[in-house]
Amino acid sequence: HRAAVEASIALGTHFPIEERATLTAIAVLHDIGKLVLSPLIEDRETLTELSRKSRRSIIDIEADLFDIDHTEAGKIVCDHWNIPSVIGDSIEQHHRPREADRLTNAVYIADAIAHASIDQATDHGPDRFPQLETAMGVCNIDDIQMARTLEQTTRAIGSRQ
């Protein structure tokens, strides 16, 4: 999770200054729904392992098990807490961003970078981030900027361990 926040901060340099705080808030809260579902899950690693073995996304498995996934639960929490809808909507869409939404796409990219920075990119097979190229296009992030952001994120995480 910390890696996604670090990546969003690094990606924030490609956004107007007035959007950076919102991007960081979304990154901090993007998995808040996991806290809501956590009492229902004995071991989060079991979910990850099931996802890996079945080659299905964690959100699909959550939906099958609980009739709700952590993105939907996160949106409900944001609505309940009166968090601005731009944040709640991004949390709800962070695994399946809409093309026109730069902030959600940036969090999607940050999540991909986070997983790559901690060597978990293969947790869900090669299709873990199928919209990555599209998201990069929406955010005007090229391969060189991605590589730099991954390097910055990996360095930031390493320096804080």
Side-chain angles (χ1 to χ4, degrees), residues 15-153:
F15 281 75
I17 196 156
E18 60 275 2
E19 291 183 336
R20 292 178 192 173
T22 303
L23 177 58
T24 302
I26 296 165
V28 168
L29 296 173
H30 80 280
D31 278 338
I32 191 87
K34 288 182 179 180
L35 291 175
V36 174
L37 297 180
S38 65
L40 305 174
I41 302 168
E42 287 184 34
D43 179 10
R44 190 97 196 150
E45 292 303 312
T46 302
L47 233 112
T48 302
E49 188 61 31
L50 182 59
S51 173
R52 189 178 300 130
K53 285 180 179 176
S54 67
R55 298 185 61 79
R56 296 177 60 224
S57 72
I58 285 181
I59 59 172
D60 288 341
I61 293 169
E62 289 170 342
D64 286 350
L65 294 173
F66 313 119
D67 292 326
I68 190 169
D69 65 54
H70 74 272
T71 65
E72 297 164 325
K75 169 69 168 144
I76 291 168
V77 168
C78 289
D79 290 346
H80 183 73
W81 289 346
N82 295 315
I83 291 174
S85 62
V86 66
I87 295 171
D89 292 346
S90 288
I91 288 168
E92 184 177 33
Q93 298 297 317
H94 78 269
H95 283 289
R96 296 182 180 116
R98 293 180 297 268
E99 200 166 318
D101 184 351
R102 282 178 34 107
L103 291 170
T104 304
N105 278 282
V107 172
Y108 183 83
I109 294 167
D111 206 20
I113 290 170
H115 283 271
S117 71
I118 53 178
D119 227 8
Q120 292 184 357
T122 58
D123 270 358
H124 309 284
D127 299 324
R128 173 68 169 107
F129 294 96
Q131 295 175 261
L132 187 56
E133 281 188 40
T134 301
M136 289 170 61
V138 169
C139 294
N140 297 317
I141 304 293
D142 62 28
D143 290 337
I144 293 169
Q145 292 166 320
M146 271 297 271
R148 285 184 186 142
T149 304
L150 174 58
E151 183 181 317
Q152 283 177 284
T153 302

